[in-house]
Amino acid sequence: MAYQVVTESLVNVFISSNCTSFTSEKKFAKDLTIADLKSKLELITGASSISMSITVFDSKDNKVCDLDDNAALLGSYHVDTGMRLHVVDTSKTRDEFENLANVEKFEMSKEEYAKRDDTVQSFLKRNRLGKYNEEELKKMEDEKSKLEAEEKQMAEAMKVDDRCEVKAPGAMTRRGTVRFVGQVHFKTDALVPGYWVGVQYDEPLGKNDGSVDGKRYFKCPEKYGGFVKVAYVTVGDFPEEDLDVSEDEM
């Protein structure tokens, strides 16, 4: 039996499937055999061409026909631009493709993982890197302890009501009064554990009123308070400066 293309050489159709929840849009040549079309749709939908059935629907979702002859040409069926090809993999359901709970997971115990020699862990062990380099870890811990001791010593040299000058990286030099010295409860990218100094600035150059996230460390007017690492604060004779600019200087 001979098959002939009965409409235009290319057709633009929508593609839906029981394997996925999305719809795609593709162009196909009408001289494709249904078998070749199924091979292309397998790549698009994930449905197996062997167990695939294709139904054609018009723009109003009315069924037009089934593409049920693998040897026939696409153009021998009534398939026009704007129609939809609905692909069904008769061996699967949508849940099997989209519900990850049904996917068998490969799991390995920590003991089994530790015995393998082709893992990141085994590589780090062989090359004594990261936490498997005891000498490097000890060196890092010693440096950390030294810095913490130095920071604690500097903090103990400061007391509440000391006048101070703050020189933080990327910020202008500011003067104020020490209102808090100690460790804080909050942590951000900029605020790391350790000793902090709460400062009441002479001008509204701060970020708070001495409280953070509802916890009060000291009290001052809004925008006059801030927290700075100990290393950026120097206490001493720092009288309040007059930062007013006269009209003649503007």
Side-chain angles (χ1 to χ4, degrees):
M1 178 178 179
Y3 296 99
Q4 294 181 341
V5 179
V6 297
T7 57
E8 67 272 16
S9 60
L10 290 175
V11 63
N12 192 74
V13 294
F14 297 96
I15 303 166
S16 59
S17 171
N18 74 321
C19 300
T20 60
S21 58
F22 61 87
T23 300
S24 56
E25 186 177 0
K26 296 291 181 182
K27 285 184 179 180
F28 296 107
K30 284 297 189 70
D31 59 359
L32 275 178
T33 64
I34 300 304
D36 289 337
L37 176 65
K38 286 182 177 181
S39 295
K40 292 181 179 294
L41 291 174
E42 182 174 23
L43 298 175
I44 296 171
T45 64
S48 171
S49 60
I50 297 175
S51 55
M52 181 186 298
S53 66
I54 308 172
T55 303
V56 181
F57 292 88
D58 64 19
S59 59
K60 296 182 180 179
D61 274 342
N62 297 313
K63 180 178 177 179
V64 177
C65 61
D66 292 314
L67 306 184
D68 51 7
D69 187 344
N70 287 339
L73 300 180
L74 178 60
S76 65
Y77 292 92
H78 181 60
V79 180
D80 292 327
T81 292
M83 291 186 174
R84 176 170 61 90
L85 306 185
H86 184 63
V87 176
V88 174
D89 187 333
T90 57
S91 67
K92 300 290 183 181
T93 63
R94 176 176 293 179
D95 284 342
E96 289 181 85
F97 287 91
E98 295 189 339
N99 187 355
L100 297 181
N102 293 331
V103 179
E104 185 177 355
K105 300 176 179 62
F106 176 75
E107 296 182 353
M108 181 184 299
S109 67
K110 292 182 179 179
E111 292 75 16
E112 292 174 328
Y113 180 78
K115 293 177 182 178
R116 299 187 59 157
D117 60 3
D118 58 349
T119 63
V120 174
Q121 184 185 78
S122 63
F123 174 81
L124 294 175
K125 284 183 176 179
R126 284 195 303 271
N127 294 278
R128 299 182 65 194
L129 298 173
K131 64 180 181 180
Y132 300 103
N133 188 333
E134 294 182 1
E135 292 180 2
E136 186 64 24
L137 283 177
K138 185 178 185 305
K139 181 179 178 181
M140 291 173 62
E141 286 296 327
D142 290 344
E143 290 178 353
K144 180 180 178 182
S145 298
K146 181 181 178 182
L147 290 174
E148 289 177 347
E150 292 176 351
E151 189 176 69
K152 182 179 180 181
Q153 185 177 7
M154 287 189 290
E156 290 175 345
M158 301 179 187
K159 60 182 184 297
V160 174
D161 293 334
D162 278 348
R163 287 291 298 170
C164 67
E165 187 171 72
V166 177
K167 294 183 178 180
M172 63 179 290
T173 298
R174 293 164 288 179
R175 289 187 177 184
T177 302
V178 174
R179 296 302 187 197
F180 168 86
V181 182
Q183 296 183 326
V184 296
H185 77 289
F186 51 89
K187 296 179 182 178
T188 69
D189 291 341
L191 294 173
V192 296
Y195 287 87
W196 289 80
V197 181
V199 178
Q200 178 178 340
Y201 295 111
D202 296 336
E203 302 290 338
L205 302 173
K207 294 183 178 181
N208 52 60
D209 64 350
S211 64
V212 178
D213 296 334
K215 181 176 177 61
R216 181 164 297 283
Y217 293 90
F218 61 93
K219 188 175 182 179
C220 71
E222 184 65 41
K223 297 298 182 181
Y224 277 78
F227 291 86
V228 192
K229 289 297 288 182
V230 175
Y232 303 140
V233 181
T234 303
V235 296
D237 184 17
F238 296 106
E240 185 173 347
E241 296 179 314
D242 184 4
L243 299 182
D244 291 338
V245 180
S246 66
E247 294 185 0
D248 293 339
E249 295 176 309
M250 294 179 64

